[in-house]
Amino acid sequence: MNDHQQRNPLFGRGKAQGVNAQMRGAKPLASMPQLGMKPALAGASAASVPATASADFASVKLAVGQTPATAAADVAAPAVAASARPQVKRDSTLEVMVASMIGTAIEFYDNYCYSIAAASYFGLIFFTDVAKSDPVLATLLAFVTFAVSFLARPFGSLLFGHFGDRLGRKKTLVAALMLMGTATFCVGLLPGYDVLGPAAVVLLCVCRACQGLGLAGEWSGAALVATENAPADKRALFGSFPNLGAPIGFFCAYGVNLLLDTLLPADAMVAWGWRVPFLLSCLLVIVGLVVRMRMSETPVFQKAAAENRTTKTPLRDLVHHWRRLVLGTCTMSITYTLFYVLGTWSLSYGVSTLGFTQQQYLGMQMISVFFFAGFILVGCLTADKRGRKPVLVVGNVCTVLFALVAPMLLAAHSVLSVMVFLCVGFACMGTIFGPCGSYLPELFPAKVRYSGAGLSYNLAAITGGAFAPTIASALVMNFGIQSLGWYLGGMALVALVALAFFRESKDVDFEQ
């Protein structure tokens, strides 16, 4: 024992005696004002136990020789740490569902209105001279303007992805919705070729490009609003909210057009009736803006911003994830191919070749869209339970099988066979499309998630959807209806190859 220990009563024999003496004469800590306790604490109620315990802890520290300042700092540290934690505000499930679904419904409503008009009216209105000599070529040219939106989408992904990852999901979604809605409304106001000549086509393409820019920022932001508010075990289900906007938009667009086709003669539809669906979209946009302005920023982005984990250069950081970008694009492309073959090309083919009226075919498509919505939910619920990859593999294998029989169903020229074609096709598409709301965001870390998910989704729109109606029309015209099966089957096989390199993302840490 050294000199210091001999002089200090808390070491050795002196220590034991000092402690025993204290224990024999000890009073309850709450009644020991000499140790720094306020007398009021002695009568604290059970509700104040944590505060009393903290004071007792400080008293013990003072009893063993710690300075008052150090003891107070040690006690205050947990409270300071707790107050420093970011206070994350969460919207209710209903608010998340509506905020994520409304914009996507408007997006698909706008796209379907354009696809119907391109298949039915734009050849006559914007390519009038060509339509007089070759109506089929005029329709093909109208489908080319349809593709302009898809070509603009990657640029929209880069633009809105940059601000979505840097400034937040909410502000970016509001801007995307305003751009998209304004462009759609302007399409409904455009004069035709008879008034402006070639300038009408140029303006149509400009409006369509602006639609594409806005659409590009819409889906990815809506998917993030849903999934970044979701419980970990229900991320695919929450990711279905924006994707369910697709059949809702489909139903509204085809319903409005069906109603107009029923009420108005063909001449009136060509003269002005086709404009009504585009002009009506402004009402949906107003509703969407009100909902979007009321929602909160997503908890994941709030936490990343509070912890300084956001980036000022999301596009540069995204370069490090280029393999995931390619994987997401290849996996997603078949969805767009199915989408526009079933919704756009088949409408034109059903009316021009199979002999159905516009109203009849629109009615069949409106029935089949319920299969689309139902299998979105089936795919997402299964993806939460079994994983994303098994659902995607099964969906694409079913699409390959569907591609083998699709030409025979259309060649039968009957209502039943066409209904089977539409319902089975939309069921396959819903199974594949549903889980993309979760697996595309899960491919990327939070700081580049808006950019990565959006760019994958919109590059797939080019590779899978931009020219799908044009390719399907050209193939059938030159090689017969069986070539449609080659096209659909080939795109499904590309997705299956990509899935071979796909890593299951069901259990990823989504906050990182």
Side-chain angles (χ1 to χ4, degrees), residues 410-422:
L410 290 177
H413 286 231
S414 71
V415 173
L416 178 61
S417 63
V418 172
M419 280 302 302
V420 172
F421 167 78
L422 291 172

Side-chain angles (χ1 to χ4, degrees), residues 218-259:
E218 170 57 42
W219 179 87
S220 48
L224 266 56
V225 165
T227 55
E228 290 186 348
N229 277 286
D233 61 341
K234 295 182 179 178
R235 205 156 46 230
L237 177 61
F238 273 59
S240 72
F241 297 159
N243 290 348
L244 283 171
I248 292 172
F250 186 105
F251 191 84
C252 291
Y254 279 68
V256 169
N257 278 273
L258 178 59
L259 181 63

Side-chain angles (χ1 to χ4, degrees), residues 96-120:
V96 170
M97 181 174 67
V98 174
S100 59
M101 190 182 294
I102 185 70
T104 311
I106 296 170
E107 168 196 343
F108 283 91
Y109 172 86
D110 293 350
N111 240 2
Y112 287 134
C113 285
Y114 195 98
S115 68
I116 293 169
S120 306

Side-chain angles (χ1 to χ4, degrees), residues 327-349:
L327 177 63
T329 300
C330 293
T331 308
M332 184 70 195
S333 294
I334 177 58
T335 305
Y336 272 105
T337 304
L338 280 169
F339 197 60
Y340 290 108
V341 165
L342 294 167
T344 302
W345 172 83
S346 74
L347 173 62
S348 176
Y349 185 80

Side-chain angles (χ1 to χ4, degrees), residues 58 91 231 266 296 298 324 425 427 494:
D91 293 329
S296 305
T298 68
R324 300 181 183 188
V494 169

Side-chain angles (χ1 to χ4, degrees), residues 11-344:
F11 284 94
R13 183 166 178 261
K15 173 181 177 180
Q17 292 174 343
V19 171
N20 290 334
Q22 287 183 346
M23 293 297 293
R24 284 193 300 270
K27 296 181 180 180
L29 284 172
S31 63
M32 296 175 66
Q34 72 273 20
L35 295 184
M37 290 289 294
K38 292 183 180 180
L41 290 176
S45 65
S48 63
V49 170
T52 306
S54 297
D56 291 349
F57 181 65
S59 300
V60 172
K61 283 180 171 286
L62 287 173
V64 295
Q66 192 171 7
T67 65
T70 307
D74 286 349
V75 174
V80 172
S83 64
R85 296 190 189 106
Q87 299 299 313
V88 176
K89 180 182 177 183
R90 291 180 179 271
D91 293 329
S92 68
T93 300
L94 179 61
E95 290 172 321
V96 170
M97 181 174 67
V98 174
S100 59
M101 190 182 294
I102 185 70
T104 311
I106 296 170
E107 168 196 343
F108 283 91
Y109 172 86
D110 293 350
N111 240 2
Y112 287 134
C113 285
Y114 195 98
S115 68
I116 293 169
S120 306
Y121 309 114
F122 282 176
L124 293 172
I125 295 164
F126 292 99
F127 301 94
T128 308
D129 288 348
V130 178
K132 291 176 182 177
S133 58
D134 192 343
V136 175
L137 179 58
T139 300
L140 286 175
L141 291 174
F143 282 151
V144 171
T145 68
F146 177 75
V148 170
S149 167
F150 295 94
L151 298 178
R153 284 190 177 198
F155 300 100
S157 295
L158 297 177
L159 174 66
F160 287 104
H162 173 81
F163 292 108
D165 284 324
R166 184 175 179 179
L167 302 179
R169 310 341 184 182
K170 175 181 175 178
K171 297 176 183 177
T172 308
L173 270 175
V174 170
L177 185 60
M178 290 182 66
L179 177 60
M180 181 175 65
T182 302
T184 301
F185 187 78
C186 288
V187 171
L189 299 176
L190 280 180
Y193 186 89
D194 289 340
V195 176
L196 295 180
V201 179
V202 174
L203 290 175
L204 179 65
C205 290
V206 170
C207 289
R208 186 64 178 153
C210 290
Q211 267 190 325
L213 292 174
L215 292 171
E218 170 57 42
W219 179 87
S220 48
L224 266 56
V225 165
T227 55
E228 290 186 348
N229 277 286
D233 61 341
K234 295 182 179 178
R235 205 156 46 230
L237 177 61
F238 273 59
S240 72
F241 297 159
N243 290 348
L244 283 171
I248 292 172
F250 186 105
F251 191 84
C252 291
Y254 279 68
V256 169
N257 278 273
L258 178 59
L259 181 63
L260 290 169
D261 278 332
T262 303
L263 297 177
L264 298 176
D267 291 344
M269 283 299 298
V270 174
W272 58 271
W274 67 268
R275 300 178 184 275
V276 175
F278 293 96
L279 299 178
L280 285 177
S281 88
C282 70
L283 301 177
L284 296 175
V285 171
I286 291 171
V287 174
L289 285 175
V290 171
V291 172
R292 291 278 171 83
M293 294 297 290
R294 290 170 57 88
M295 75 180 190
S296 305
E297 184 55 77
T298 68
V300 172
F301 186 85
Q302 289 183 59
K303 183 177 179 182
E307 296 174 355
N308 199 27
R309 289 191 288 108
T310 58
T311 176
K312 294 182 178 180
T313 57
L315 301 181
R316 186 174 66 185
D317 294 341
L318 185 61
V319 172
H320 302 296
H321 304 282
W322 67 268
R323 290 183 180 85
R324 300 181 183 188
L325 196 64
V326 173
L327 177 63
T329 300
C330 293
T331 308
M332 184 70 195
S333 294
I334 177 58
T335 305
Y336 272 105
T337 304
L338 280 169
F339 197 60
Y340 290 108
V341 165
L342 294 167
T344 302

